[in-house]
Amino acid sequence: MAADTPPETTPRAATATAAPAVAGGTTLTVGTGATAGTGGAVGTAGAAAPSGNGTPTAHAPAGALTPDAIGFLDALAIGLNATSPAYSLAAVIGPLVALVGVHAPGVMLASFVPMLLIASAFHFLNRADPDCGTTFSWVTRALGPSTGWLGGWAIAMTGVLVVGSLADVAVGFGLLAVGADGLADNTLVREALTVLLILLMSWLCVRGTEVSARFQNVLVLLQVLCLVVFAAVAVYRVYAGTGSLDAVRPAAGWLDPFGAGGSALTGGLLLGVFAYWGWESAVNLTEETKDSANAPGRAGIWSTVVLLATYVAVAFAVVAYAGTAYLAGRADSEEDVFAALAREVLGGWDWILLLAVATSALASTQTTIIPASRTALSMARRKALPAGFAHIDARRGTPSTSTWWVTGTAIVWYVVIHRISENALADSLTALSLLIAFYYALTGIACAVWYRRRLMRGPGPFLLLGAGPLLGSAMLIWLLVESVVDMADPGNASSSTAWFGLGAPLVIALFLAGAGVVLMLVRRAASGAFWRERPGVAPEAP
């Protein structure tokens, strides 16, 4: 192996094998789909769920996720759909242009950098430990059980916060696409349809990973096709001079993220990180993916690359066609700006873009349930959560109990927050950025800490296993701090109303963080087995 190449890690999955002896002389035997390491896949009944340093602490429950249910392309489609590209663009393009003007494409490019670095950390950590709990499992291995628990809690709560909003957008744009504008404006109808849609997407998740993957493949093709058509028509009309708005021809200078100044860049990067979030759903399905040690991580990385191309291309088209004044003036409309642009660009064919946003939000409603449910499963089989969350449907091989728990919690959150106000729902989504930055940053740090003995083996390991993930984490921590400062001001919230003297998004984030700490302490008092695990380190040789 070349010195400048990242060292291969030993895949911890596949057929029944005896894992090498670990510290303390313990040898682990794992079954099909099992993960030797931090609790990986539940294998045959009686397989051990090892601790962070490789020492078994508990027996895993019988039952397993369906191995080899999907392939690389399926995982790629799920990673892409989890980010909800069309919806994410619709939600951020107005506020982004209001901050940075024509440099929106450049900010989308800059936002890609921390995402790529963290995606690389996911890839290499998954090679060492293909566990559906991802951040929870890896952070526990490297940094200890309490930090790992909080990372898992953050992932679960992101699903709870966003699923209802995604389903609401899918319902709203779906009704607009078929011309049912009156129903789209009816709060009770929209709320009822949103709840039904969440239940339907959860049912598909429980039905089987193969079914979910086929559904996601169709949706991602439809979504990307619609976006390509919209962008192509917009650019054509700019150069043909047939646009109806203040069109401006694209320029290479738009790719400069620093063109609008430092403070504007900070706010723009926060929006960009939100737009890229979700690709790791591909890695949460690692135990159900062929070549689980490599394919999910590669799917995550390639998801960010495809998103980069999509976001930059569409941002160029939108800014060129509409101009900055039009988009900035509709910054508060969020995703509704795409509904207005659809009519301007496509005329009677506006349903194409409306369908893109609807399918985008629909697909993401389903794929966002995956990380939360798989993380809860991983936590439960390690005794970090009650054992009931580890139940796997024996016939379908899916985590039915954790999926329905996530679904129920998300529905309750959506209904309660939606009844408070639409602005409160928007504020809960703003709080999401803090949770995202937190667990992404933890993952990057965990990568460098876990592989610390290998960092001096050459420039490849140093950059890809250490410096890169740490740089990505540092950027996200900086954005996290900037977000907290910004959200402390009630005037920056969608509701513009102070909650306990602070902005509503920050209060929501602090409430969820506090609830997580309390629940962790309660669980530790009830069952301390998980907290007896100790951090470990990757061996110097693979």
Side-chain angles (χ1 to χ4, degrees), residues 113-118 437 440-441 444-445 466-479:
V113 175
M115 289 299 98
L116 179 64
L117 295 174
I118 298 302
Y440 275 171
I445 294 170
L470 285 178
L471 177 59
S473 294
M475 294 175 72
L476 289 167
I477 291 171
W478 168 61
L479 290 174

Side-chain angles (χ1 to χ4, degrees), residues 19 40 59 108 114 119 130 148 218 308 325 380 391 399 428 438 482 514:
H59 288 285
M108 296 305 295
V218 172
L308 170 66
H391 173 75
S428 72
F438 173 70
E482 292 290 336

